[in-house]
Amino acid sequence: GTFTKVILYQDYGLSENGEVVINEKMSKRLGFKNSQDAIGKQLVWDNGNFKAIICGVVEDIHHKSLYTPVKATLYNYVGYLGDWYSLRYKKGKSKRAIQILTEKWNKLFPNKILQYYHLDELLETKSYGSFYQYFNLLKLFTFSIIFTTCIGLLGFIWQMTFLKIKDIAIRKTMGASEFNVYWFYMKKALFNTMIAVIIGVPLSYYLWNKQLSSFEYKIILESKYFIISALVLIFIVLCT
């Protein structure tokens, strides 16, 4: 991952507790028109027991999942809080980073066990675990339905062809090409497919919008997604 972007910062040389950093949403909530106006202003809270100068403004950070909006946040140095440290390493170098960290740890603390976790994996499990399970289940059902539909369509065309053997023979005798015969019987399957697309596209749009409504930050469903899906479905029908 990457660290959040610092928009503005000014060191006033005060103690750690005398300076604070705020995010963009806090800057707007305090009534500042832009981040520059917030720098150097004094904050007073808890009935005047705590006072601090705003020394920096950072971009809004998602501390929680995308289900919840970013809150107005103030960052203040409060000293040492425990035995956990955050380390940053290059993408794809996690195994090497853990190996080096373990070697250093065992030299410094041979009698203590090193405990660690990856922040991205923790967020995926804690914040989006249920969503990933739902999405994997949805993919399984989708592929199952596509496979079942292809088998059913193949059986439908096979039965229709078997029942129309004499008709096909007559058409071939009359000089019809293989493509003409194929297209004559495929039109019905394509007609049924178009009906399915007309019913399925609005229904899919409604269900996906309902699913995305639980997210505070979400993508916009564009028409191209449904057009591509319809074209893929028609291609599968033609190939089948």
Side-chain angles (χ1 to χ4, degrees):
T2 57
F3 292 114
T4 186
K5 180 180 178 181
V6 178
I7 299 175
L8 291 170
Y9 179 79
Q10 175 65 49
D11 188 1
Y12 290 95
L14 303 176
S15 62
E16 290 86 351
N17 294 327
E19 296 178 349
V20 294
V21 175
I22 62 175
N23 65 353
E24 290 179 295
K25 194 157 189 177
M26 174 64 83
S27 177
K28 295 177 181 178
R29 186 171 181 178
L30 292 174
F32 299 113
K33 294 183 179 180
N34 54 66
S35 302
Q36 182 65 53
D37 294 339
I39 301 297
K41 300 299 189 297
Q42 186 181 56
L43 289 180
V44 181
W45 67 94
D46 194 18
N47 296 323
N49 293 324
F50 295 94
K51 299 180 181 180
I53 298 295
I54 300 175
C55 66
V57 180
V58 298
E59 285 185 338
D60 294 333
I61 309 172
H62 291 284
H63 293 287
K64 296 184 179 180
S65 71
L66 297 181
Y67 289 106
T68 57
V70 174
K71 296 182 179 180
T73 309
L74 180 148
Y75 303 94
N76 185 30
Y77 178 77
V78 293
Y80 181 71
L81 292 177
D83 297 327
W84 291 99
Y85 298 90
S86 297
L87 298 178
R88 182 185 182 188
Y89 53 83
K90 292 182 179 180
K91 187 176 181 180
K93 301 291 184 180
S94 60
K95 292 184 178 180
R96 179 57 179 166
I98 293 173
Q99 180 183 356
I100 295 175
L101 181 61
T102 303
E103 292 175 356
K104 297 294 183 181
W105 178 272
N106 291 334
K107 289 181 180 180
L108 296 173
F109 310 102
N111 298 324
K112 293 186 177 182
I113 299 176
L114 173 64
Q115 296 179 338
Y116 65 90
Y117 62 86
H118 298 284
L119 184 59
D120 56 345
E121 295 177 358
L122 177 66
L123 290 175
E124 288 182 3
T125 304
K126 186 176 180 180
S127 301
Y128 303 106
S130 59
F131 178 78
Y132 278 109
Q133 291 178 356
Y134 167 79
F135 186 68
N136 290 331
L137 187 63
L138 182 63
K139 287 194 296 184
L140 177 62
F141 275 111
T142 300
F143 286 118
S144 300
I145 291 172
I146 292 175
F147 178 77
T148 305
T149 303
C150 290
I151 295 297
L153 181 62
L154 184 61
F156 168 74
I157 295 175
W158 179 267
Q159 183 185 26
M160 186 173 60
T161 304
F162 179 78
L163 295 175
K164 298 290 184 178
I165 290 179
K166 291 183 178 180
D167 188 50
I168 294 174
I170 293 173
R171 290 179 181 276
K172 291 287 290 182
T173 303
M174 297 298 293
S177 65
E178 292 183 0
F179 176 79
N180 289 334
V181 175
Y182 166 81
W183 180 247
F184 180 79
Y185 293 105
M186 184 56 65
K187 286 189 294 185
K188 187 174 182 180
L190 286 177
F191 177 76
N192 294 334
T193 303
M194 293 307 300
I195 293 177
V197 169
I198 294 172
I199 297 175
V201 167
L203 182 61
S204 299
Y205 181 82
Y206 169 76
L207 293 176
W208 273 113
N209 258 335
K210 189 174 182 180
Q211 174 65 31
L212 292 173
S213 64
S214 60
F215 289 87
E216 184 69 22
Y217 305 93
K218 50 185 175 290
I219 63 171
I220 298 176
L221 290 177
E222 300 179 10
S223 58
K224 64 180 180 180
Y225 301 129
F226 301 97
I227 294 175
I228 293 174
S229 299
L231 292 176
V232 170
L233 178 60
I234 294 173
F235 176 76
I236 293 175
V237 172
L238 292 175
C239 291
T240 305

